[in-house]
Amino acid sequence: MMKHRRNSTWKCGWMFFAATVLSALTLAQCIPVNRTFTTDVITLNQLKSSFQSSVGALSSWKGWHPCAEGPARWRGIGCLKDLKKRVAYVDKIDLRGLGLQGTIPRAIGNFKNLRSLDLSNNSLSGKLPLEMAKMMSLKTLILDNNQFTGNVRGLIGIPNLKILSLANNQLFGRLRDVLLDLVMLEHVVLSRNNFKGVLPRSIHLRNLKVFDLSHNQLFGNLPFGLRRSKQLQKLDLSFNNFTGVIPPIWGSLKSLQELELQNNKLSGPVPPQFAYLPKLKELFLMNNNFSGMLGRAFLTQGIVLGISGNRYLCTDFDSNGRCDARLTTRP
């Protein structure tokens, strides 16, 4: 009987605690936040002044409370509430595909709580301001499909950046310092730009899942340090000028699903351990200088395989004992 009473008391206590927490959360959602942090409002207006749109995409950006609830909320703005101070901070800006023109103002660095910035699929231009490095809370930066120019030094110093996507712009320069500094990166897409130079051998991107630097002007050896990226799923370094061999240690990337190295100047054998990567689905090596025999395991694992344009890379020998490299894909 005593044990039963103790159990009942314990259960009732937890039920009361859970009800109290739920009530507090419900009440917190009802507390009105009647203003947006002044610095954020000023910065948004500077952003509006720097952008132009023929369709009035930012016509809702009026007044002094971008984080207002309901239809008064400014288009593309997400906010974080501070219930104690009864103020809201801008933590997300999503203006993708709005036909915007103009440049990113230096004032962008005033957003201290901004976690996500997406300006992709517009016609924005100019350089990425150095002040972007002041956005200490930024985790996602997506600027794909614009006309940005210059280098990316302004991104150095953003400590928590995880998603960096700048594909299809006119950016140039070297990536070494950026890749060595932004160690929290998980998703990197910098394809179809004009980046040049050698990648750092000792990349330490342990959380990396997607790494796409295709269609640039990079050269030198493939980065040995990617062996540390154990979560890497997609690696695309195609359409560059890389030389040397594929690091055999990449054969330890057990999460790798897609590897694209086509249209480079790579040589040597294809590491046989790639055939046994448990999740590998696509391996594209076309138009390089690979040589040697591609193990039969590559042909029996269901890997989509592209090897055409490698004169001395064999999948088999013909009846005269000559290299047979006719295979282009393997479903």
Side-chain angles (χ1 to χ4, degrees):
M1 177 68 71
M2 186 64 67
K3 183 176 180 181
H4 176 73
R5 288 179 179 176
R6 283 200 301 266
N7 288 340
S8 297
T9 302
W10 181 83
K11 291 179 180 179
C12 289
W14 269 108
M15 291 175 65
F16 177 77
F17 174 75
T20 302
V21 171
L22 182 60
S23 298
L25 290 174
T26 303
L27 180 61
Q29 294 298 321
C30 297
I31 297 176
V33 172
N34 53 19
R35 70 185 183 93
T36 303
F37 185 55
T38 303
T39 300
D40 289 353
V41 181
I42 293 173
T43 306
L44 283 175
N45 277 298
Q46 290 175 304
L47 207 63
K48 181 181 179 181
S49 297
S50 295
F51 294 164
Q52 299 87 44
S53 172
S54 59
V55 294
L58 302 183
S59 59
S60 66
W61 286 28
K62 301 176 182 178
W64 287 89
H65 194 13
C67 295
E69 297 295 337
R73 171 71 64 90
W74 288 17
R75 182 177 188 175
I77 301 301
C79 299
L80 178 67
K81 296 180 180 179
D82 186 330
L83 298 178
K84 290 183 179 180
K85 297 180 180 180
R86 297 184 69 177
V87 65
Y89 299 92
V90 173
D91 76 333
K92 181 179 180 180
I93 299 176
D94 184 352
L95 302 178
R96 55 186 160 175
L98 297 182
L100 299 175
Q101 297 179 336
T103 61
I104 298 178
R106 295 172 59 185
I108 194 79
N110 294 331
F111 287 118
K112 303 305 180 186
N113 296 281
L114 191 66
R115 294 186 289 185
S116 177
L117 176 61
D118 188 345
L119 302 176
S120 60
N121 301 308
N122 285 291
S123 298
L124 299 171
S125 57
K127 297 181 179 181
L128 304 183
L130 295 175
E131 286 75 12
M132 295 185 78
K134 297 180 180 179
M135 295 189 289
M136 305 302 286
S137 300
L138 194 65
K139 294 183 178 181
T140 299
L141 178 61
I142 304 175
L143 304 178
D144 301 328
N145 302 314
N146 280 285
Q147 300 168 24
F148 291 114
T149 60
N151 58 56
V152 291
R153 287 200 301 267
L155 306 181
I156 296 175
I158 304 177
N160 299 307
L161 194 62
K162 294 183 178 182
I163 297 176
L164 176 61
S165 195
L166 309 176
N168 198 23
N169 281 282
Q170 300 168 26
L171 298 165
F172 57 81
R174 298 180 181 273
L175 295 173
R176 176 181 176 84
D177 293 338
V178 172
L179 295 177
L180 290 177
D181 179 78
L182 303 177
V183 296
M184 300 299 291
L185 287 172
E186 297 179 2
H187 185 110
V188 179
V189 180
L190 305 178
S191 57
R192 297 184 184 277
N193 281 284
N194 297 308
F195 292 116
K196 297 181 179 181
V198 177
L199 295 182
R201 177 180 173 84
S202 56
I203 293 178
H204 289 79
L205 300 175
R206 296 184 181 276
N207 301 317
L208 194 61
K209 296 178 181 178
V210 174
F211 196 53
D212 185 351
L213 305 183
S214 61
H215 294 270
N216 280 287
Q217 301 175 42
L218 302 168
F219 55 85
N221 292 329
L222 299 176
F224 183 82
L226 283 177
R227 73 187 191 280
R228 302 183 182 91
S229 303
K230 299 300 184 182
Q231 302 179 59
L232 188 59
Q233 299 172 12
K234 177 181 178 179
L235 175 57
D236 189 348
L237 300 177
S238 62
F239 292 90
N240 281 285
N241 294 301
F242 289 110
T243 55
V245 302
I246 301 176
I249 194 65
W250 283 8
S252 64
L253 297 173
K254 302 298 183 183
S255 298
L256 193 62
Q257 299 177 21
E258 180 180 340
L259 176 60
E260 298 197 31
L261 299 175
Q262 68 267 30
N263 293 81
N264 279 286
K265 299 176 181 178
L266 299 166
S267 58
V270 179
Q273 54 267 49
F274 277 17
Y276 302 101
L277 290 175
K279 297 183 178 181
L280 188 64
K281 298 178 181 178
E282 298 180 359
L283 177 61
F284 296 134
L285 306 173
M286 299 86 78
N287 302 319
N288 280 283
N289 298 308
F290 292 116
S291 60
M293 172 63 77
L294 197 66
R296 288 192 175 275
F298 284 98
L299 311 180
T300 60
Q301 300 296 324
I303 299 172
V304 176
L305 183 64
I307 63 169
S308 62
N310 290 280
R311 184 176 179 183
Y312 299 109
L313 181 62
C314 303
T315 58
D316 206 342
F317 292 97
D318 63 18
S319 58
N320 297 315
R322 293 175 298 191
C323 179
D324 183 356
R326 291 173 296 178
L327 185 68
T328 56
T329 59
R330 178 77 177 186

